[in-house]
């Protein structure tokens, strides 16, 4: 199978601090990973496409300076929420696209709560 | 902008009933996927349809892709409490080497025993 992990699974932080979320493909290489945001009982909204070795592509309305994405290897992408505020509290989900394949494999999500 | 509208938004039914969830768009997609998500977890892929008019069956679930590849439906026969969850359709858009997924608005299903 294709397994994607996220760390941490949940995090609570104070307003103004930065939080880093990791997304790893455990048993396959992923040239491309995607970051989504989901509010309670709502759908997933694509935030950005993370490409290994190049800059991420952000969706319209997503601040690239606030949500920093780094995809330094074929198995790891990180999302850093900088200067987090309570409105950034959400469920963040990543997915990994297997190199040469067609399917996205989703991680279990990270619950962020900003106080 | 949400390009995929799902209906109904919420659905509460009794065990054993049948139901259909619709996923509609004005855009054409290269593929259409259906996911089920439970609270606090990532979405789990149920099926991918790629051909207009395609019908796929997965036990009690039947998925159909519209002829024009703009809409899809999910039909569940004899629903069970274990079917409870958030059902999401997602349209694939080819963006270079990778398909971006645009998720639908979601349908929250509750099956009462």
């Amino acid at each position: 199978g294709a397994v994607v992990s996220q760390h941490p699974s949940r995090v609570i932080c104070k307003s103004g601090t930065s939080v880093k979320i990791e997304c790893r493909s455990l048993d396959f290489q992923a040239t491309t990973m995607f970051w989504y945001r989901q509010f309670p009982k709502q759908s997933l909204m694509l935030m950005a496409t993370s490409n290994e070795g190049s800059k991420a592509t952000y969706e319209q309305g997503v601040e690239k300076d606030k949500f920093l994405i780094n995809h330094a290897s074929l198995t790891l992408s990180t999302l850093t929420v900088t200067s987090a505020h309570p409105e950034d509290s959400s469920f963040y989900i990543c997915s990994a696209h297997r190199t040469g394949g067609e399917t996205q494999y989703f991680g279990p999500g990270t619950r962020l709560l900003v106080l | 902008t949400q390009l995929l509208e799902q209906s109904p938004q919420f659905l509460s039914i009794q065990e054993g009933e049948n139901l259909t969830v619709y996923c509609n768009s004005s855009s054409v997609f290269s593929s259409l996927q259906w996911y089920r998500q439970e609270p606090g977890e990532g979405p789990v892929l149920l099926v991918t349809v790629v051909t207009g008019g395609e019908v796929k069956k997965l036990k009690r679930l039947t998925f159909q892709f519209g002829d024009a590849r703009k809409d899809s439906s999910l039909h569940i026969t004899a629903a069970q409490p274990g079917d409870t969850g958030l059902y999401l359709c997602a349209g694939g858009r080819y963006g270079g080497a990778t398909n971006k997924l645009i998720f639908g608005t979601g349908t929250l299903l509750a099956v009462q025993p």
Side-chain angles (χ1 to χ4, degrees):
Chain A
V3 180
V4 176
S5 70
Q6 284 185 237
H7 177 80
S9 58
R10 56 180 63 189
V11 56
I12 301 173
C13 69
K14 292 183 179 179
S15 186
T17 61
S18 294
V19 174
K20 181 187 283 189
I21 303 171
E22 293 185 348
C23 177
R24 291 181 187 274
S25 55
L26 298 185
D27 51 0
F28 65 98
Q29 293 187 334
T31 309
T32 303
M33 292 183 174
F34 300 89
W35 286 97
Y36 298 85
R37 182 174 180 172
Q38 184 179 33
F39 291 107
K41 294 194 171 93
Q42 293 187 23
S43 187
L44 279 69
M45 295 298 292
L46 179 64
M47 297 175 66
T49 303
S50 170
N51 301 296
E52 187 268 336
S54 64
K55 290 184 179 180
T57 304
Y58 290 81
E59 295 299 301
Q60 192 172 12
V62 178
E63 299 176 58
K64 62 180 181 181
D65 294 330
K66 180 164 183 64
F67 298 100
L68 300 179
I69 292 173
N70 184 278
H71 194 152
S73 77
L74 286 172
T75 59
L76 173 64
S77 175
T78 60
L79 168 68
T80 301
V81 183
T82 62
S83 186
H85 288 99
E87 56 265 31
D88 297 324
S89 299
S90 189
F91 194 49
Y92 291 88
I93 304 175
C94 73
S95 70
H97 179 259
R98 187 199 295 263
T99 303
E102 295 183 355
T103 302
Q104 287 186 33
Y105 300 93
F106 283 83
T110 296
R111 174 77 60 194
L112 170 63
L113 177 61
V114 184
L115 302 177
Chain B
T1 304
Q2 198 63 266
L3 299 178
L4 279 164
E5 294 288 335
Q6 286 183 235
S7 61
Q9 191 175 358
F10 302 101
L11 190 56
S12 180
I13 61 172
Q14 293 296 123
E15 182 176 2
E17 291 184 25
N18 301 332
L19 68 118
T20 301
V21 177
Y22 298 94
C23 173
N24 294 298
S25 173
S26 58
S27 302
V28 176
F29 292 97
S30 56
S31 65
L32 201 295
Q33 301 183 348
W34 283 93
Y35 293 82
R36 188 169 78 92
Q37 185 184 23
E38 300 201 26
E41 298 181 11
V44 175
L45 179 66
L46 297 175
V47 78
T48 300
V49 285
V50 296
T51 305
E54 183 176 2
V55 177
K56 279 191 175 179
K57 289 192 175 183
L58 184 67
K59 296 183 180 178
R60 293 178 293 102
L61 278 60
T62 302
F63 305 86
Q64 185 164 7
F65 200 12
D67 291 340
R69 305 209 317 276
K70 293 182 179 181
D71 52 78
S72 180
S73 64
L74 157 61
H75 182 79
I76 301 179
T77 303
Q80 299 175 1
D83 295 328
T84 293
L86 178 66
Y87 287 82
L88 298 161
C89 64
R93 284 262 178 86
Y94 190 73
T98 307
N99 256 346
K100 274 173 64 168
L101 286 180
I102 305 298
F103 277 85
T105 48
T107 296
L108 192 56
L109 172 65
V111 183
Q112 312 296 336

